[in-house]
Amino acid sequence: MKKIAIMSVLMLGMLASCDPIKEDGSFSVDTISSADLLAGATFSQYSDEACTQPAADGNYIKYDIPNVSSVVIYYIKKDGTEFKLSQSSSAGVLNYVPLRGSDPQQTLYFRYINPNGEETVASRDFTLQVAAELSAGDKLLCSNSGTKKWKWYPTSANGGAVWGNGGYLAGPQAGGADINGAWWGCGVEDGDCADLFSSQLAHSAVGAITGEEYADSYMEFCEDGSLTKYGKDGNKLNTGSFQLTDYNNGEAIDDNGNMAYLNTSAGAILWPYQINKNGFTPEKFEVAFLSVDRMVLVYASEGTGGWGEATWWSFGSDDDAQGCLTSSEWTWAPTSANGGAVWGNGGYLAGPQAGGADINGAWWGCGVEDGDCADKFSSQLAHSAAGAITGEEYSTAYMTFSEDGVLTKYDKDGNKMNEGSWSLDMTPNPDHFSLGYLNTSAGAILWPYQINQNGFKPEKYEIGYVSGSRLVLVYASEGTGGWGEATWWSFGKK
């Protein structure tokens, strides 16, 4: 260890006075070098948070670094920024789960600040459990987290139907509210469709409502190939299996626009019955449409020709915010506020956002430079820290969210403006009508300014709405009450 001699304040005071009393001496303060920082440190790995199951590649790391009283532990992301896993205590347990497909060999860094302010950093390599990269299709079905919930998605058929019949080989599905070729359908028990599942029990093998026929019923796809079905109250109805085959990165695999095939055990999906077949449960469905938040399935008996009867199912997912953000490039989405505004102010806690053109609670807003809004960004530079148009204020400007937490912003000509960081906290806050929170480095998103705050750039936004094609963010100063001023942002898929 290196020693630094520091004279005491008392001694300095004596030297500065005329007092003849003198004291020779000093005291030494230890400074830790990189080589010394982890000397004598112990590390053990476990597969569980309680540290009861040792594992050579466990993601829970128990550590004790006796040479110091506190330490910061972090890793370095692909963009070169640090991500802190633990700070303060020099002993404890941390959890590190690298991104899917990462190298199991990972480096962690340990930082200690010496008493003289000198920074010491040491590193150590660990072998960790890393989940295998999912196929593109399974990532859509299961999300990058490995599990994903899918619910009924009301369509325009019969005023909200989610299951019904239609003409086979009628053409591709677009993933919106319309079902191409639909003749008829029924809807969830607590919905607005003219015909409900309870009036169609002749199609069911059970002949009774089981709980899978409601808006909150769902099925959960897991990366291990299991498919579990839950009733409206979250009670498990059954567990089956699935396999997605012939998925081709969103491209059609046949002339009817199908994207893949979903093979399941019998009865695994919600209301798994072919229409007009006395409760028959298919096991191989045509995937007519599949995206990060939308799925349409079709089944027709073998030999069915064009416009013969087929059965369709309509599902949606609001369970994969990360997948939504990373699945596309994001640009400005004009709203009905002020004839096309994309950023503006409104009443805080005014209610939920629906993801359409309306911004609930909006008072005012401005739009892109090349748009039709009455007020444009160039007339609102007092809100900007830059005080000038930078290129992010046009309809062609965009931003991208990478899976490893990098948020990149591009100007109207596609030139990179800056890279920041982002993360999600999808803890809902019903009192704020918030689905969760988007955390970013300051200035990372397009036009990142709070309104009427002299260029202040928030770093934690409330997510008012998120899907594969729409993102609404809201920010209000801490302590803002109902209908106090908030700032909103409207983005859409590029």
Side-chain angles (χ1 to χ4, degrees), residues 325-331 398-401 492-494:
L325 291 181
T326 58
S327 65
S328 63
E329 299 168 339
W330 292 87
T331 187
Y398 65 99
M399 55 187 178
T400 61
F401 296 80
K493 182 178 180 179
K494 185 182 175 193

Side-chain angles (χ1 to χ4, degrees), residues 394-422:
Y394 292 80
S395 62
T396 52
Y398 65 99
M399 55 187 178
T400 61
F401 296 80
S402 75
E403 290 181 351
D404 61 346
V406 179
L407 174 50
T408 308
K409 185 161 58 176
Y410 298 86
D411 68 12
K412 67 185 179 75
D413 298 316
N415 301 310
K416 183 189 292 186
M417 298 183 66
N418 67 273
E419 282 187 347
S421 61
W422 72 279

Side-chain angles (χ1 to χ4, degrees), residues 72-75 83-87 93-97 108:
V72 175
I73 306 174
Y74 62 95
Y75 67 88
F83 187 93
K84 291 185 178 66
L85 292 167
S86 177
Q87 59 186 32
V93 177
L94 62 86
N95 178 228
Y96 180 27
V97 182
L108 294 186

Side-chain angles (χ1 to χ4, degrees), residues 273-478:
Y273 309 112
Q274 181 183 11
I275 202 166
N276 296 321
K277 293 296 181 180
N278 304 311
F280 174 72
T281 53
E283 296 181 39
K284 184 175 183 178
F285 303 85
E286 297 176 36
V287 181
F289 188 86
L290 180 62
S291 69
V292 69
D293 58 357
R294 190 79 172 89
M295 177 164 56
V296 178
L297 303 180
V298 171
Y299 180 82
S301 299
E302 187 174 353
T304 302
W307 287 96
E309 185 174 61
T311 310
W312 55 266
W313 291 256
S314 173
F315 301 113
S317 177
D318 58 4
D319 189 39
D320 188 10
Q322 181 186 25
C324 289
L325 291 181
T326 58
S327 65
S328 63
E329 299 168 339
W330 292 87
T331 187
W332 295 111
T335 68
S336 60
N338 203 14
V342 298
W343 171 90
N345 62 354
Y348 190 45
L349 310 181
Q353 303 299 329
D358 295 337
I359 297 293
N360 196 352
W363 296 335
W364 171 91
C366 71
V368 293
E369 288 299 287
D370 49 346
D372 299 324
C373 184
D375 297 284
K376 296 181 169 52
F377 280 116
S378 55
S379 66
Q380 305 299 319
L381 298 180
H383 303 291
S384 162
I389 293 297
T390 62
E392 61 191 312
E393 308 86 355
Y394 292 80
S395 62
T396 52
Y398 65 99
M399 55 187 178
T400 61
F401 296 80
S402 75
E403 290 181 351
D404 61 346
V406 179
L407 174 50
T408 308
K409 185 161 58 176
Y410 298 86
D411 68 12
K412 67 185 179 75
D413 298 316
N415 301 310
K416 183 189 292 186
M417 298 183 66
N418 67 273
E419 282 187 347
S421 61
W422 72 279
S423 64
L424 285 174
D425 173 7
M426 293 309 293
T427 303
N429 188 340
D431 292 339
H432 287 205
F433 307 101
S434 168
L435 304 177
Y437 300 90
L438 173 66
N439 303 287
T440 76
S441 51
I445 70 169
L446 292 171
W447 191 264
Y449 309 112
Q450 181 184 10
I451 201 165
N452 296 322
Q453 296 296 321
N454 303 310
F456 174 72
K457 296 175 282 193
E459 297 181 42
K460 184 175 184 178
Y461 304 85
E462 296 182 43
I463 300 175
Y465 185 88
V466 62
S467 71
S469 58
R470 195 82 168 81
L471 174 65
V472 177
L473 301 179
V474 174
Y475 180 82
S477 298
E478 187 175 355

Side-chain angles (χ1 to χ4, degrees), residues 116-366:
N116 66 343
E118 179 182 298
E119 179 181 280
T120 294
V121 176
S123 64
R124 189 179 192 277
D125 292 335
F126 294 86
T127 300
L128 298 167
Q129 182 69 41
V130 177
E133 191 75 35
L134 291 175
S135 68
D138 282 347
K139 185 182 287 189
L140 294 177
L141 277 180
C142 307
S143 86
N144 215 36
S145 70
T147 60
K148 187 168 176 177
K149 298 174 183 176
W150 290 85
K151 299 180 178 181
W152 292 113
Y153 185 96
T155 69
S156 60
N158 203 14
V162 297
W163 170 91
N165 62 355
Y168 190 47
L169 308 180
Q173 303 298 329
D178 294 339
I179 296 294
N180 195 357
W183 296 336
W184 170 92
C186 71
V188 294
E189 287 299 289
D190 47 350
D192 300 323
C193 185
D195 297 285
L196 307 179
F197 279 115
S198 55
S199 66
Q200 304 300 318
L201 297 179
H203 303 290
S204 162
V206 178
I209 292 297
T210 63
E212 61 191 308
E213 307 87 354
Y214 293 81
D216 287 335
S217 307
Y218 65 95
M219 51 189 177
E220 189 171 60
F221 287 79
C222 181
E223 63 177 305
D224 65 4
S226 63
L227 173 53
T228 307
K229 186 161 56 176
Y230 295 85
K232 62 173 182 151
D233 299 319
N235 55 306
K236 184 185 294 187
L237 297 175
N238 72 274
T239 299
S241 61
F242 80 92
Q243 182 182 25
L244 188 71
T245 59
D246 295 326
Y247 181 74
N248 189 29
N249 294 315
E251 299 297 323
I253 61 172
D254 58 31
D255 293 339
N256 204 42
N258 289 315
M259 294 183 174
Y261 296 101
L262 179 66
N263 304 274
T264 75
S265 52
I269 70 168
L270 291 172
W271 192 264
Y273 309 112
Q274 181 183 11
I275 202 166
N276 296 321
K277 293 296 181 180
N278 304 311
F280 174 72
T281 53
E283 296 181 39
K284 184 175 183 178
F285 303 85
E286 297 176 36
V287 181
F289 188 86
L290 180 62
S291 69
V292 69
D293 58 357
R294 190 79 172 89
M295 177 164 56
V296 178
L297 303 180
V298 171
Y299 180 82
S301 299
E302 187 174 353
T304 302
W307 287 96
E309 185 174 61
T311 310
W312 55 266
W313 291 256
S314 173
F315 301 113
S317 177
D318 58 4
D319 189 39
D320 188 10
Q322 181 186 25
C324 289
L325 291 181
T326 58
S327 65
S328 63
E329 299 168 339
W330 292 87
T331 187
W332 295 111
T335 68
S336 60
N338 203 14
V342 298
W343 171 90
N345 62 354
Y348 190 45
L349 310 181
Q353 303 299 329
D358 295 337
I359 297 293
N360 196 352
W363 296 335
W364 171 91
C366 71

Side-chain angles (χ1 to χ4, degrees), residues 1-4 6 29-37 68 70 110-122:
M1 294 183 184
K2 182 170 62 177
K3 305 280 188 181
I4 294 180
I6 301 178
V29 176
D30 292 340
T31 61
I32 300 294
S33 68
S34 296
D36 293 332
L37 179 56
V68 295
S70 64
F110 302 81
R111 178 189 292 120
Y112 173 69
I113 305 300
N114 283 289
N116 66 343
E118 179 182 298
E119 179 181 280
T120 294
V121 176

